[in-house]
Amino acid sequence: MIKKYVYGTPFETEAVMMEIENAEGTPEYGKVCCEQKFCFEYEMSNKDMIFGLGQSNRGINKRGYIYISNCTDDPEHTEHKTSLYGAHNFIVISGEKNFGLFVDYPSTVCFDIGYTHSDKLKIECEYCDVTLYVIEGENAYDIVKQFRKLIGQSYIPPKFAFGYAQSRWGYKTKQDYREVAREYRKNHIPIDMIYMDIDYMQDFKDFTLNEQNFDDFEEFVKEMKQNNLRLIPIIDAGVKIEKGYSVYEEGVKNNYFCKKEDGSDFVAAVWPDDTHFPDVLNKEARKWFGSKYKILTDKGIEGFWNDMNEPAIFYTPEGIERIKKSMKEFIEKNPSKDDVWFMRDSLLYLANNPQDYCAFYHNVNGQKIRHDKVHNLYGYNMTRAAAEGLQEIDNNRRYLLFSRSSYIGMHRYGGIWTGDNMSWWSHILLNIKMMPSLNMCGFLYIGADIGGFGADTTRELLLRWLAFGIFTPLMRNHSANGTRRQECYQFEKIEAFQHVIKIRYRLIPYIYSEYMKAALQYDMYFKPLLFVYQNDEIAREIEDQLLIGNEIMIAPVYTQNAKGRCVYLPEEMMMLKFLSNGTIHTEQYEKGYHYIAIELDEVVLFVKKGCCIPIAEPAEYVEQIDTKNMKLYGYINSEYLLYDDDGITKQYQQQNYKTMKYE
Ligand code: GLC
């Protein structure tokens, strides 16, 4: 049961798809106050666990900390950070009472979940213009499914997007891409995509190609395709200010960029230096920006990643002026240590400065809206622009699309990657924990930068991360310019990488099938154990094991030098261990704790009691997977309901399901 409470005059975010009448009175749970601010307070019982908040820090159970929905470009995801790139304001309170809350509010929302007072849940928004959805259900899982129906069907990518991808910020020339292609193919490490980071553009201008390096791009795309590889270019939010550059000229002429108070176009520096931000909250501007993706699809491109769309600001001319002023004062006086700290911080806070987010405006149906009041909708609408533009090209075709910044609602238009993580062991664990929370909020096509984006990776870290990454729908190895190279072929004993990634391809029929079921049935692909084993006191607290689809459980290794790990089985299960010689060892384990040895080049999964899963022969790209000759693994006399389709069109019919019997 879903109830909708409207306070003040909320901005229409279009997060929700269902028509629901406004409820009378006040919510049954907690206390709402709506004076200047919006505030929701709830006394948590000892038993209550809090789930949700999508892309946020810390655990699956969010209790005990504070989280702030405020889309932020911050590459240091250390434990104390309260805001990451997304704003996903859905939580479930599960314990004595079970209910969900969706705070549909496009600006900053603060979730204090037992941080200030250990038993108090407090949600606050600066203004009392909020739509609050209260969802009642039997348990957390049931509430999530209702919520997912409320916000509409999740994005479905083409099937090739389930392949493995290599990316790196720093590839510049065709030779760089050819080398990646050659090394992967030569070493028989399966791969389907190579990502193109900002250097493919001419001076970081969206929808352009570096003239020197990519003169005949269409041919190059073809050449890669002949090698069964797709190139996936990045698109950034900021449009470079440059006379004669058509995207800039058109944007200025038609007032498609965000404006300052005085009506001039707002200027912010990002990768291309000074840029303007397309006003993607303005329908016409959104349509215009979305139509530009065709420039690249016309050259054979089938997917994109949208970046810097919080929108990230390195600095603004106003910010520089502010700094100059304080610098002048600093130089003119005899600075104390406090002045030195102040100066240092002022330079740091030039980027993504709240003052700058208050200095530009959107034109929403003729109304001038200050950016900070709708800040969390920018990445969402940039990706919506792209999705709608791509739909215009061919409505029956799927394109690969994902974004860095997002808000609930964007899950219908694309996936997300979790932004600039680090080559840290703790970030494998963060990756594991974030996945089910994102699924709760509708985001299914998700994954992190495998191996870590910032800092130098190690062979061991990358292998362990890949062994988890083979279960994330988006499986991409990406790293930052200047860090240690992290393509699989850069390391010794390449066979280990080949072996681990081949397992992904053997599992793609299952992964795809479970992804599609989750998308079509408003379900979760990644589930915390307690969503299924609700009465198991131990399973309730396990955050480093996940259920994938309906049949399997995984328990990834995420510590250095480990030779295995302790795994909790909430019931009897069949372990499948993919050995380095390509065979699969199966062994049944009883409910309870077990130490499972897992070598660096091995992958382990557990099939639930009474279930089986299909496993294909290894393939080197998605189209090569032979789904006709798959073998079932798990429990004899069980069945698996396989979903499969052409992977390209949007024909998701009933006949795409087929029952497979393990006899
Ligand atoms: C941002 C992105 C990262 C990308 C870089 C350069 O930091 O998050 O993935 O490589 O910009 O475009």
Side-chain angles (χ1 to χ4, degrees):
M1 215 219 337
I2 307 180
K3 283 193 180 160
K4 173 182 174 188
Y5 297 90
V6 178
Y7 301 95
T9 321
F11 184 88
E12 181 46 77
T13 65
E14 298 181 61
V16 160
M17 295 299 280
M18 246 186 218
E19 288 278 340
I20 294 188
E21 264 183 50
N22 296 356
E24 300 282 322
T26 53
E28 224 160 290
Y29 308 95
K31 204 176 93 217
V32 173
C33 62
C34 182
E35 277 150 29
Q36 245 203 336
K37 280 184 174 181
F38 169 88
C39 172
F40 174 93
E41 283 187 348
Y42 180 72
E43 235 11 87
M44 294 184 286
S45 82
N46 222 357
K47 227 180 113 189
D48 285 345
M49 299 173 88
I50 316 292
F51 305 106
L53 295 183
Q55 187 177 20
S56 54
N57 237 334
R58 302 217 173 194
I60 293 180
N61 180 359
K62 295 288 171 203
R63 191 164 176 167
Y65 206 56
I66 188 163
Y67 311 87
I68 299 172
S69 289
N70 178 32
C71 298
T72 306
D73 166 32
D74 180 349
E76 295 258 330
H77 310 163
T78 39
E79 230 182 277
H80 67 293
K81 293 295 170 69
T82 49
S83 303
L84 301 177
Y85 305 92
H88 308 140
N89 307 332
F90 172 59
I91 58 168
V92 172
I93 294 91
S94 173
E96 215 139 85
K97 297 188 176 126
N98 289 290
F99 62 97
L101 297 172
F102 174 44
V103 185
D104 193 7
Y105 180 75
S107 184
T108 304
V109 187
C110 177
F111 292 85
D112 179 338
I113 311 183
Y115 171 75
T116 308
H117 301 287
S118 52
D119 291 334
K120 196 169 261 172
L121 162 68
K122 191 169 181 185
I123 306 173
E124 278 184 305
C125 309
E126 197 187 348
Y127 298 98
C128 197
D129 294 311
V130 172
T131 310
L132 176 72
Y133 294 86
V134 182
I135 308 168
E136 237 179 75
E138 273 170 36
N139 52 49
Y141 191 20
D142 169 50
I143 291 163
V144 169
K145 287 197 232 167
Q146 291 186 57
F147 176 63
R148 294 278 305 283
K149 281 204 183 114
L150 178 72
I151 57 173
Q153 197 182 83
S154 300
Y155 161 76
I156 296 177
K159 205 194 273 180
F160 73 77
F162 288 83
Y164 169 76
Q166 182 62 58
S167 181
R168 179 163 171 94
W169 172 19
Y171 298 153
K172 284 196 171 61
T173 63
K174 283 186 200 163
Q175 283 325 316
D176 293 336
Y177 290 92
R178 285 187 181 124
E179 180 188 307
V180 178
R182 191 176 53 243
E183 290 296 324
Y184 270 93
R185 292 289 178 236
K186 185 181 89 193
N187 288 296
H188 301 286
I189 307 171
I191 184 166
D192 270 86
M193 290 155 284
I194 308 180
Y195 278 74
M196 304 186 87
D197 209 320
I198 45 175
D199 294 297
Y200 80 86
M201 300 182 212
Q202 180 65 43
D203 305 321
F204 309 132
K205 286 181 287 188
D206 280 340
F207 313 110
T208 68
L209 292 153
N210 185 289
E211 288 149 22
Q212 217 184 354
N213 297 330
F214 294 104
D215 46 345
D216 47 359
F217 189 61
E218 219 172 317
E219 263 313 299
F220 186 55
V221 174
K222 266 195 210 140
E223 175 191 319
M224 285 286 154
K225 267 241 185 92
Q226 272 155 12
N227 205 354
N228 298 295
L229 284 166
R230 265 123 172 149
L231 293 170
I232 313 293
I234 195 170
I235 302 292
D236 281 351
V239 169
K240 185 173 170 68
I241 299 177
E242 185 186 282
K243 283 244 155 309
Y245 163 40
S246 66
V247 183
Y248 161 77
E249 296 284 357
E250 286 170 30
V252 170
K253 188 168 135 229
N254 297 300
N255 293 312
Y256 288 155
F257 293 128
C258 293
K259 304 259 183 210
K260 294 205 299 202
E261 173 83 85
D262 65 5
S264 63
D265 292 326
F266 176 73
V267 178
V270 204
W271 299 123
D273 293 334
D274 283 353
T275 70
H276 291 322
F277 292 145
D279 185 359
V280 286
L281 270 74
N282 165 346
K283 272 188 210 136
E284 278 96 59
R286 188 161 69 226
K287 194 164 190 314
W288 162 75
F289 193 73
S291 72
K292 295 292 164 203
Y293 288 75
K294 190 166 182 296
I295 295 173
L296 291 164
T297 59
D298 279 349
K299 300 195 184 301
I301 291 298
E302 296 169 70
F304 299 90
W305 50 311
N306 281 346
D307 192 19
M308 309 305 279
N309 52 7
E310 291 69 34
I313 297 177
F314 293 169
Y315 56 86
T316 58
E318 293 79 7
I320 296 285
E321 282 314 311
R322 288 195 294 267
I323 283 279
K324 277 191 190 159
K325 196 164 156 266
S326 3
M327 193 79 93
K328 194 162 170 279
E329 287 164 12
F330 179 82
I331 292 167
E332 281 166 7
K333 70 181 181 191
N334 193 7
S336 69
K337 80 171 183 326
D338 288 347
D339 294 322
V340 173
W341 293 145
F342 175 79
M343 237 14 264
R344 188 197 64 171
D345 288 351
S346 309
L347 280 169
L348 278 178
Y349 296 134
L350 256 184
N352 308 319
N353 191 299
Q355 280 191 45
D356 291 327
Y357 289 120
C358 294
F360 66 96
Y361 294 80
H362 298 275
N363 170 0
V364 183
N365 303 321
Q367 240 193 311
K368 194 169 153 187
I369 312 265
R370 207 174 72 194
H371 175 78
D372 61 306
K373 299 193 173 172
V374 288
H375 174 70
N376 290 341
L377 301 182
Y378 193 87
Y380 162 18
N381 281 286
M382 178 192 175
T383 300
R384 179 176 177 179
E388 288 173 347
L390 294 167
Q391 198 174 321
E392 282 284 308
I393 301 168
D394 186 347
N395 191 21
N396 190 30
R397 177 174 181 166
R398 299 182 229 169
Y399 288 90
L400 169 55
L401 182 62
F402 60 88
S403 171
R404 191 169 74 175
S405 186
S406 59
Y407 183 83
I408 291 174
M410 202 207 84
H411 69 286
R412 300 191 298 270
Y413 299 102
I416 59 168
W417 97 99
T418 59
D420 299 350
N421 57 9
M422 293 279 184
S423 299
W424 296 340
W425 288 95
S426 61
H427 276 186
I428 304 187
L429 187 57
L430 181 63
N431 186 185
I432 296 170
K433 291 183 184 186
M434 213 185 265
M435 298 290 103
S437 310
L438 278 168
N439 276 190
M440 289 177 69
C441 299
F443 296 91
L444 294 186
Y445 189 72
I446 51 177
D449 286 348
I450 294 174
F453 175 76
D456 292 337
T457 202
T458 64
R459 178 176 184 271
E460 185 191 6
L461 178 77
L462 178 58
L463 272 168
R464 290 299 193 197
W465 209 325
L466 284 165
F468 169 62
I470 64 176
F471 297 99
T472 61
L474 192 178
M475 186 192 183
R476 183 179 74 146
N477 173 341
H478 180 50
S479 54
N481 213 351
T483 59
R484 180 181 188 178
R485 293 293 293 254
Q486 97 185 17
E487 297 86 0
C488 296
Y489 53 83
Q490 305 285 358
F491 300 91
E492 57 201 350
K493 298 194 201 117
I494 297 176
E495 326 75 74
F497 294 91
Q498 183 207 93
H499 173 64
V500 170
I501 299 176
K502 270 189 178 160
I503 300 167
R504 161 70 164 210
Y505 282 72
R506 301 190 73 181
L507 289 170
I508 283 179
Y510 176 73
I511 291 170
Y512 185 68
S513 169
E514 292 306 301
Y515 182 96
M516 293 303 289
K517 286 184 212 166
L520 298 172
Q521 295 162 23
Y522 306 96
D523 206 335
M524 293 166 75
Y525 167 89
F526 290 106
K527 284 183 282 262
L529 266 52
L530 93 154
F531 274 38
V532 173
Y533 302 97
Q534 285 162 23
N535 300 319
D536 186 321
E537 287 300 318
I538 299 172
R540 283 170 68 79
E541 289 181 10
I542 292 201
E543 299 209 342
D544 61 354
Q545 301 178 199
L546 296 174
L547 297 163
I548 308 265
N550 293 313
E551 278 76 15
I552 69 175
M553 183 187 81
I554 59 163
V557 175
Y558 54 89
T559 47
Q560 188 172 308
N561 292 316
K563 300 271 179 263
R565 59 163 285 179
C566 195
V567 180
Y568 176 69
L569 302 192
E571 63 175 330
E572 178 201 301
M573 288 187 183
M574 183 79 78
M575 179 191 75
L576 306 190
K577 188 187 267 184
F578 293 80
L579 303 172
S580 54
N581 63 8
T583 62
I584 303 172
H585 167 71
T586 61
E587 193 173 339
Q588 197 171 304
Y589 282 90
E590 292 306 307
K591 172 182 161 102
Y593 283 104
H594 302 273
Y595 179 83
I596 307 287
I598 311 168
E599 291 293 329
L600 246 192
D601 55 2
E602 289 176 347
V603 172
V604 160
L605 61 85
F606 298 87
V607 179
K608 279 161 68 181
K609 191 174 178 187
C611 298
C612 64
I613 62 163
I615 296 183
E617 285 301 311
E620 291 194 24
Y621 52 92
V622 168
E623 274 153 39
Q624 203 188 47
I625 299 171
D626 179 2
T627 49
K628 300 269 163 340
N629 293 304
M630 297 196 288
K631 261 173 88 178
L632 292 164
Y633 283 79
Y635 286 83
I636 250 172
N637 295 326
S638 60
E639 288 182 354
Y640 179 69
L641 183 64
L642 180 80
Y643 177 95
D644 197 14
D645 60 18
D646 64 16
I648 302 162
T649 67
K650 296 181 181 167
Q651 307 305 308
Y652 311 124
Q653 302 101 336
Q654 211 40 48
Q655 42 296 14
N656 297 344
Y657 289 94
K658 180 176 99 187
T659 302
M660 301 175 79
K661 288 199 166 95
Y662 186 18
E663 283 160 341

